[in-house]
Amino acid sequence: MHVSHDPTAPASERIGFDAFLAVDIRIGTVVSAEPFPEARKPALKLVIDFGPVIGAKRSSAQLTEHYTPERLVGRQVAAVVNFPPRQIGKFLSEVLTLGFADAAGAVILFRPDHPVPDGSRLF
């Protein structure tokens, strides 16, 4: 399945509410970020703390256009925490960090506009 980043693309087909609830989107705080020069597309390696139940998880994220590792540490981000891990080169990405494409296609992170407890679930 291809997901379009084009803001003029039509909405996807309708799904039931249970399908939405099956996607577990949580808030976590970035505790470390470093360059990922081995990735095919420019990316960063993140470690995100999702609180005591889920814990710290790793993510590869194509964020290099608008973010530096230093700017990300301490920042809350949203991620899907229940997809299977994905091997990206020698790095195992455990969660999918969420963002939107800007007008040029670069990723802008999705995050709450006020702090929430790490591990909070989107509903």
Side-chain angles (χ1 to χ4, degrees):
M1 168 160 107
H2 174 71
V3 176
S4 175
H5 301 294
D6 178 359
T8 63
S12 297
E13 67 181 69
R14 289 179 186 241
I15 61 170
F17 192 66
D18 288 343
F20 168 73
L21 290 177
V23 180
D24 192 351
I25 300 172
R26 305 282 181 125
I27 291 297
T29 298
V30 176
V31 293
S32 73
E34 62 184 65
F36 188 8
E38 306 86 10
R40 271 189 299 120
K41 295 182 180 179
L44 298 173
K45 295 182 204 177
L46 307 177
V47 176
I48 305 166
D49 182 4
F50 292 96
V53 175
I54 295 173
K57 300 290 181 182
R58 301 178 339 150
S59 181
S60 170
Q62 296 173 7
L63 304 173
T64 58
E65 189 70 30
H66 293 294
Y67 304 96
T68 62
E70 302 78 25
R71 232 181 108 197
L72 289 170
V73 173
R75 181 186 190 113
Q76 286 196 304
V77 296
V80 176
V81 299
N82 66 332
F83 284 156
R86 186 171 171 205
Q87 192 72 44
I88 301 174
K90 294 181 180 181
F91 185 77
L92 185 65
S93 187
E94 300 173 292
V95 299
L96 175 66
T97 305
L98 299 176
F100 294 93
D102 68 8
V107 177
I108 303 295
L109 286 168
F110 177 70
R111 67 176 183 161
D113 60 359
H114 295 283
V116 296
D118 287 335
S120 294
R121 185 172 182 171
L122 179 73
F123 62 90

Coordinates of all heavy atoms in Angstrom, one line a residue, residues 18-70:
D18 N -12.7 0.3 15.0 CA -11.8 -0.8 15.6 C -10.5 -0.8 14.9 O -9.4 -1.1 15.5 CB -12.5 -2.1 15.6 CG -13.6 -2.2 16.6 OD1 -13.7 -1.4 17.5 OD2 -14.4 -3.1 16.4
A19 N -10.5 -0.6 13.6 CA -9.2 -0.5 12.8 C -8.3 0.6 13.3 O -7.1 0.5 13.5 CB -9.5 -0.4 11.3
F20 N -8.9 1.8 13.6 CA -8.2 2.9 14.1 C -7.6 2.5 15.5 O -6.4 2.8 15.7 CB -9.1 4.1 14.2 CG -8.5 5.2 15.0 CD1 -7.4 6.0 14.5 CD2 -8.9 5.5 16.3 CE1 -6.8 7.0 15.3 CE2 -8.3 6.5 17.1 CZ -7.3 7.3 16.6
L21 N -8.4 1.9 16.3 CA -7.9 1.6 17.7 C -6.8 0.5 17.7 O -6.0 0.5 18.6 CB -9.1 1.1 18.5 CG -10.1 2.1 18.9 CD1 -11.3 1.5 19.7 CD2 -9.5 3.3 19.7
A22 N -6.7 -0.2 16.6 CA -5.7 -1.2 16.5 C -4.3 -0.6 16.3 O -3.3 -1.2 16.6 CB -5.9 -2.2 15.3
V23 N -4.2 0.6 15.8 CA -3.0 1.3 15.7 C -2.7 2.1 17.0 O -3.4 3.0 17.4 CB -3.0 2.3 14.5 CG1 -1.6 3.0 14.4 CG2 -3.4 1.6 13.2
D24 N -1.6 1.6 17.7 CA -1.3 2.1 19.0 C -0.3 3.3 18.9 O 0.9 3.1 18.7 CB -0.7 1.0 19.9 CG -0.6 1.4 21.4 OD1 -0.8 2.6 21.7 OD2 -0.3 0.5 22.2
I25 N -0.8 4.5 19.0 CA 0.0 5.7 18.8 C 0.2 6.3 20.2 O -0.7 6.7 20.9 CB -0.6 6.8 17.9 CG1 -0.8 6.1 16.5 CG2 0.2 8.0 17.8 CD1 -1.6 7.0 15.5
R26 N 1.5 6.5 20.6 CA 1.8 7.0 21.9 C 2.8 8.2 21.8 O 3.5 8.4 20.8 CB 2.5 5.9 22.7 CG 1.8 4.6 22.8 CD 0.7 4.6 23.9 NE 0.0 3.4 24.0 CZ -0.1 2.7 25.1 NH1 0.3 3.2 26.3 NH2 -0.7 1.5 25.2
I27 N 2.9 8.9 22.9 CA 3.8 10.0 23.1 C 5.0 9.5 23.9 O 4.8 8.8 24.9 CB 3.1 11.2 23.8 CG1 2.1 11.8 23.0 CG2 4.2 12.2 24.3 CD1 2.6 12.4 21.7
G28 N 6.2 9.9 23.4 CA 7.4 9.6 24.2 C 8.3 10.8 24.1 O 8.2 11.7 23.2
T29 N 9.4 10.8 24.9 CA 10.4 11.8 24.9 C 11.7 11.3 24.3 O 12.1 10.2 24.7 CB 10.6 12.3 26.3 OG1 9.4 12.9 26.8 CG2 11.7 13.4 26.4
V30 N 12.2 12.0 23.4 CA 13.5 11.6 22.8 C 14.6 11.7 23.8 O 14.8 12.8 24.4 CB 13.8 12.5 21.5 CG1 15.2 12.1 21.0 CG2 12.7 12.4 20.5
V31 N 15.3 10.6 24.1 CA 16.3 10.7 25.1 C 17.7 10.7 24.4 O 18.7 11.0 25.1 CB 16.2 9.5 26.1 CG1 15.0 9.7 27.0 CG2 16.2 8.1 25.5
S32 N 17.8 10.2 23.2 CA 19.1 10.4 22.4 C 18.7 10.4 20.9 O 17.7 9.9 20.5 CB 20.0 9.2 22.8 OG 19.6 8.0 22.2
A33 N 19.6 11.1 20.2 CA 19.5 11.2 18.8 C 20.9 11.3 18.2 O 21.7 12.0 18.8 CB 18.6 12.5 18.4
E34 N 21.1 10.6 17.1 CA 22.4 10.7 16.5 C 22.3 10.5 15.0 O 21.3 9.9 14.5 CB 23.4 9.7 17.1 CG 22.9 8.2 16.9 CD 23.9 7.3 17.6 OE1 23.9 7.3 18.8 OE2 24.5 6.5 16.9
P35 N 23.2 11.0 14.2 CA 23.1 10.8 12.7 C 23.1 9.3 12.4 O 23.6 8.5 13.1 CB 24.4 11.5 12.2 CG 24.8 12.4 13.3 CD 24.4 11.8 14.6
F36 N 22.5 9.0 11.2 CA 22.5 7.7 10.7 C 23.0 7.7 9.3 O 22.3 7.6 8.3 CB 21.0 7.2 10.7 CG 20.8 5.7 10.4 CD1 21.9 4.8 10.2 CD2 19.5 5.3 10.3 CE1 21.6 3.5 10.0 CE2 19.3 3.9 10.0 CZ 20.3 3.0 9.8
P37 N 24.4 7.9 9.1 CA 25.0 8.0 7.8 C 24.8 6.8 6.9 O 24.9 6.9 5.7 CB 26.4 8.4 8.1 CG 26.7 7.8 9.5 CD 25.3 7.9 10.2
E38 N 24.6 5.6 7.5 CA 24.5 4.4 6.7 C 23.1 4.3 6.0 O 23.0 3.4 5.1 CB 24.7 3.1 7.6 CG 26.0 3.1 8.4 CD 25.8 3.9 9.7 OE1 24.7 4.2 10.1 OE2 26.9 4.1 10.4
A39 N 22.2 5.0 6.4 CA 20.8 4.9 5.8 C 20.8 5.4 4.3 O 21.6 6.3 4.0 CB 19.8 5.8 6.6
R40 N 20.0 4.8 3.5 CA 19.9 5.2 2.1 C 19.5 6.6 1.9 O 20.0 7.3 1.1 CB 18.9 4.3 1.4 CG 19.5 3.0 0.8 CD 18.5 2.3 -0.1 NE 17.3 1.8 0.6 CZ 16.1 2.2 0.3 NH1 15.8 3.0 -0.7 NH2 15.0 1.8 1.0
K41 N 18.5 7.0 2.7 CA 18.0 8.4 2.7 C 18.5 9.1 4.0 O 18.5 8.4 5.0 CB 16.5 8.5 2.6 CG 15.9 8.0 1.3 CD 14.4 8.1 1.3 CE 13.9 7.6 -0.1 NZ 12.4 7.7 -0.1
P42 N 18.8 10.3 4.0 CA 19.3 11.0 5.3 C 18.3 10.8 6.4 O 17.1 11.0 6.3 CB 19.4 12.5 4.9 CG 19.6 12.5 3.4 CD 18.8 11.3 2.9
A43 N 18.9 10.3 7.5 CA 18.0 10.0 8.7 C 18.8 10.1 10.0 O 20.0 10.3 10.0 CB 17.5 8.5 8.5
L44 N 18.0 10.1 11.1 CA 18.6 10.1 12.4 C 18.2 8.8 13.2 O 17.1 8.3 12.9 CB 18.1 11.3 13.2 CG 18.5 12.7 12.6 CD1 17.8 13.8 13.3 CD2 20.0 12.9 12.6
K45 N 19.0 8.4 14.1 CA 18.7 7.3 15.0 C 18.2 7.9 16.3 O 18.9 8.7 16.9 CB 19.9 6.4 15.3 CG 20.5 5.7 14.1 CD 21.6 4.8 14.6 CE 22.6 4.5 13.5 NZ 23.8 3.7 14.0
L46 N 17.0 7.5 16.7 CA 16.4 8.1 17.9 C 16.2 7.0 18.9 O 15.9 5.8 18.6 CB 15.0 8.7 17.6 CG 14.9 9.7 16.5 CD1 13.5 10.2 16.3 CD2 15.9 10.9 16.8
V47 N 16.3 7.3 20.2 CA 15.8 6.5 21.3 C 14.8 7.3 22.0 O 15.0 8.5 22.4 CB 16.9 6.1 22.3 CG1 16.4 5.3 23.5 CG2 18.0 5.3 21.6
I48 N 13.6 6.8 22.1 CA 12.4 7.5 22.6 C 11.9 6.7 23.8 O 11.6 5.5 23.8 CB 11.3 7.6 21.5 CG1 11.8 8.2 20.2 CG2 10.1 8.4 22.1 CD1 10.9 8.0 19.0
D49 N 11.7 7.5 24.9 CA 11.2 6.9 26.2 C 9.7 7.0 26.2 O 9.1 8.1 26.3 CB 11.8 7.6 27.4 CG 11.4 7.0 28.7 OD1 10.6 6.0 28.7 OD2 11.8 7.5 29.7
F50 N 9.0 5.9 26.2 CA 7.5 5.9 26.2 C 7.0 5.6 27.6 O 5.8 5.1 27.8 CB 7.0 4.9 25.2 CG 7.2 5.3 23.8 CD1 8.3 4.8 23.1 CD2 6.4 6.2 23.2 CE1 8.6 5.2 21.8 CE2 6.6 6.6 21.9 CZ 7.7 6.1 21.2
G51 N 7.8 5.8 28.7 CA 7.3 5.6 30.0 C 7.5 4.2 30.5 O 8.1 3.3 29.8
P52 N 7.1 3.9 31.8 CA 7.5 2.6 32.4 C 6.8 1.4 31.8 O 7.4 0.3 31.9 CB 7.0 2.8 33.9 CG 5.9 3.9 33.8 CD 6.3 4.8 32.6
V53 N 5.7 1.5 31.1 CA 5.1 0.3 30.6 C 5.7 -0.2 29.3 O 6.1 -1.3 29.1 CB 3.6 0.5 30.4 CG1 2.9 -0.7 29.7 CG2 2.9 0.7 31.8
I54 N 5.9 0.8 28.4 CA 6.5 0.4 27.0 C 8.0 0.6 27.1 O 8.7 -0.2 26.4 CB 5.9 1.3 26.0 CG1 4.4 1.0 25.8 CG2 6.6 1.2 24.6 CD1 3.6 1.9 25.0
G55 N 8.5 1.5 27.8 CA 10.0 1.7 27.9 C 10.6 2.5 26.8 O 9.9 3.1 26.0
A56 N 11.9 2.4 26.6 CA 12.6 3.1 25.6 C 12.6 2.2 24.3 O 12.9 1.0 24.4 CB 14.0 3.4 26.0
K57 N 12.4 2.8 23.2 CA 12.4 2.2 21.9 C 13.2 3.0 20.9 O 13.3 4.2 21.0 CB 10.9 2.0 21.3 CG 10.0 1.2 22.2 CD 10.4 -0.2 22.3 CE 9.4 -1.0 23.1 NZ 9.8 -2.4 23.2
R58 N 13.7 2.3 19.9 CA 14.5 2.9 18.9 C 13.7 3.2 17.6 O 12.8 2.4 17.3 CB 15.7 2.0 18.6 CG 16.6 1.8 19.8 CD 17.8 0.9 19.7 NE 17.8 0.0 18.6 CZ 18.9 -0.4 18.0 NH1 20.1 0.0 18.4 NH2 18.9 -1.3 16.9
S59 N 14.1 4.3 16.9 CA 13.4 4.6 15.7 C 14.4 5.3 14.7 O 15.2 6.1 15.1 CB 12.3 5.6 15.9 OG 11.6 5.9 14.8
S60 N 14.3 4.9 13.4 CA 15.1 5.6 12.4 C 14.1 6.6 11.8 O 13.0 6.2 11.4 CB 15.6 4.6 11.3 OG 16.0 5.3 10.2
A61 N 14.4 7.8 11.7 CA 13.5 8.8 11.2 C 14.2 9.8 10.2 O 15.3 10.3 10.5 CB 12.9 9.6 12.4
Q62 N 13.5 10.1 9.1 CA 14.1 11.0 8.1 C 13.7 12.4 8.5 O 12.8 13.0 7.9 CB 13.5 10.6 6.7 CG 14.0 9.2 6.3 CD 13.3 8.7 5.0 OE1 12.6 9.5 4.4 NE2 13.6 7.5 4.7
L63 N 14.5 12.9 9.4 CA 14.2 14.3 10.0 C 15.3 15.3 9.7 O 15.3 16.3 10.4 CB 14.0 14.1 11.5 CG 13.0 13.1 12.0 CD1 13.0 13.0 13.5 CD2 11.6 13.6 11.6
T64 N 16.3 15.0 8.9 CA 17.5 15.8 8.8 C 17.3 17.2 8.2 O 18.1 18.0 8.4 CB 18.6 15.0 8.0 OG1 18.1 14.7 6.7 CG2 19.0 13.8 8.8
E65 N 16.2 17.4 7.5 CA 15.9 18.7 6.9 C 15.7 19.8 7.9 O 16.1 20.9 7.8 CB 14.8 18.6 5.9 CG 14.6 19.8 5.0 CD 15.7 19.9 4.0 OE1 16.3 18.9 3.5 OE2 16.0 21.1 3.6
H66 N 14.8 19.5 8.9 CA 14.4 20.5 9.9 C 14.9 20.3 11.3 O 14.7 21.2 12.1 CB 12.9 20.6 9.9 CG 12.3 21.1 8.6 ND1 12.4 22.4 8.2 CD2 11.5 20.4 7.7 CE1 11.8 22.5 7.0 NE2 11.2 21.3 6.7
Y67 N 15.6 19.2 11.6 CA 16.0 18.9 12.9 C 17.4 18.4 13.0 O 17.9 17.7 12.1 CB 15.1 17.8 13.5 CG 13.6 18.1 13.4 CD1 12.8 17.6 12.4 CD2 13.0 18.9 14.4 CE1 11.5 17.9 12.3 CE2 11.6 19.2 14.3 CZ 10.9 18.7 13.3 OH 9.6 19.0 13.2
T68 N 18.1 18.8 14.1 CA 19.4 18.3 14.4 C 19.2 17.4 15.7 O 18.3 17.5 16.4 CB 20.4 19.4 14.8 OG1 19.9 20.1 16.0 CG2 20.5 20.4 13.6
P69 N 20.2 16.5 15.9 CA 20.1 15.6 17.1 C 20.0 16.4 18.3 O 19.1 16.1 19.2 CB 21.4 14.8 17.0 CG 21.7 14.7 15.6 CD 21.3 16.1 15.0
E70 N 20.7 17.5 18.5 CA 20.7 18.3 19.7 C 19.3 18.9 19.9 O 18.8 19.1 21.1 CB 21.7 19.4 19.6 CG 23.1 19.0 19.4 CD 23.5 18.6 18.0 OE1 22.8 19.0 17.1 OE2 24.4 17.7 17.9

